[in-house]
Amino acid sequence: MISHNIYLDHNATTKLDGNVLEAMIPFFTEHYENPGSSHLAGLTVDEYIEEAFRQVADLIGCRTNEIIFTSGATESINLAIRGISHGERNHLVTLCTEHKAVLDTVKDHAEKSHLNCSILPVQNDGLADLDLLEQAITGKTLLVSVMLVNNETGTIQYIKEISELVHAKGAFLLCDATQAVGKIPVNVQELGIDLMAFSAHKFYGPKGIGALYVSKDVKSI
């Protein structure tokens, strides 16, 4: 008889690492002051927050001012899709295998903001059909959303090649990297990603915290 559970759902969430818990506890008991305060205690907490920005920026290869902390990847995805400027571009593109957070937001935002959206099929191996994707992206395309690693199949998309197609048409690339950050090397500069969402609880961090990377070239977020 098995005396303990064998947990096989780490793509859904992970256990908080003991080192992370140890690092967090002082901010509930000792360094609890408002970081916006001008007194020494508040300024000290603010310095810790700035260090957190630096650590996250170093993790994904960006500047600290390109990081927005959120409650998690779902909020980051919503902020990216709903917050990016439309201008004359009125077309969103994504894949049918994207997470529900992307698909639902794309459909809802397209309907409410009178945008067009294209949800493309993938190949049998789960990878995007690059020829089909290139055909779908037009001069009216504002945003293309493709996840880096699929949460159900583990498929790793060719994000760098996809970003080249997206940028050639003057559009932006949103990447849901929730299943990638903290598990495989991710560098937004090398991959050509414009916006990227991820969550701490997918790689032994606390629930309720995530981030959105926004390239300095992206406006209206």
Side-chain angles (χ1 to χ4, degrees):
M1 180 177 179
I2 298 176
S3 60
H4 62 279
N5 291 328
I6 299 175
Y7 182 73
L8 299 174
D9 199 20
H10 283 83
N11 276 357
T13 194
T14 57
K15 180 181 179 180
L16 183 68
D17 185 271
N19 292 321
V20 177
L21 177 60
E22 184 179 351
M24 290 175 61
I25 287 176
F27 297 96
F28 295 100
T29 58
E30 299 173 36
H31 306 299
Y32 54 83
E33 297 84 4
N34 189 329
S37 299
S38 58
H39 49 66
L40 180 60
L43 294 173
T44 300
V45 175
D46 186 59
E47 288 179 359
Y48 282 116
I49 293 174
E50 289 301 316
E51 177 59 22
F53 274 106
R54 285 190 289 271
Q55 291 174 341
V56 174
D58 288 344
L59 177 65
I60 64 172
C62 71
R63 301 175 177 86
T64 57
N65 62 1
E66 294 177 313
I67 294 291
I68 299 172
F69 284 126
T70 67
S71 64
T74 297
E75 181 184 352
S76 297
I77 288 165
N78 271 267
L79 181 58
I81 294 173
R82 299 180 192 277
I84 193 167
S85 176
H86 294 177
E88 296 181 355
R89 292 178 177 260
N90 62 356
H91 182 222
L92 307 174
V93 178
T94 191
L95 304 180
C96 65
T97 50
E98 292 295 297
H99 191 276
K100 189 172 183 287
V102 169
L103 293 173
D104 286 355
T105 306
V106 164
K107 294 173 185 176
D108 182 70
H109 184 54
E111 180 180 351
K112 291 180 178 178
S113 298
H114 306 292
L115 305 176
N116 299 315
C117 70
S118 299
I119 300 176
L120 308 178
V122 296
Q123 301 176 124
N124 290 338
D125 56 7
L127 292 171
D129 183 325
L130 298 185
D131 291 333
L132 183 63
L133 182 61
E134 185 176 21
Q135 294 171 17
I137 305 170
T138 72
K140 288 290 187 179
T141 303
L142 170 66
L143 185 69
V144 177
S145 183
V146 178
M147 62 171 31
L148 180 48
V149 180
N150 189 278
N151 56 298
E152 295 181 348
T153 65
T155 300
I156 302 176
Q157 296 288 349
Y158 296 117
I159 292 298
K160 188 171 183 178
E161 288 83 351
I162 291 172
S163 73
E164 291 172 356
L165 296 179
V166 172
H167 294 153
K169 299 291 183 69
F172 293 112
L173 175 64
L174 165 62
C175 186
D176 173 6
T178 310
Q179 300 296 343
V181 174
K183 300 176 181 178
I184 63 174
V186 177
N187 186 297
V188 292
Q189 300 297 325
E190 293 177 359
L191 294 174
I193 296 170
D194 300 301
L195 303 111
M196 188 173 76
F198 51 103
S199 289
H201 75 97
K202 300 293 186 178
F203 55 107
Y204 306 102
K207 294 179 175 66
I209 182 69
L212 173 65
Y213 158 72
V214 183
S215 167
K216 61 180 178 58
D217 298 321
V218 178
K219 299 178 181 178
S220 298
I221 292 291

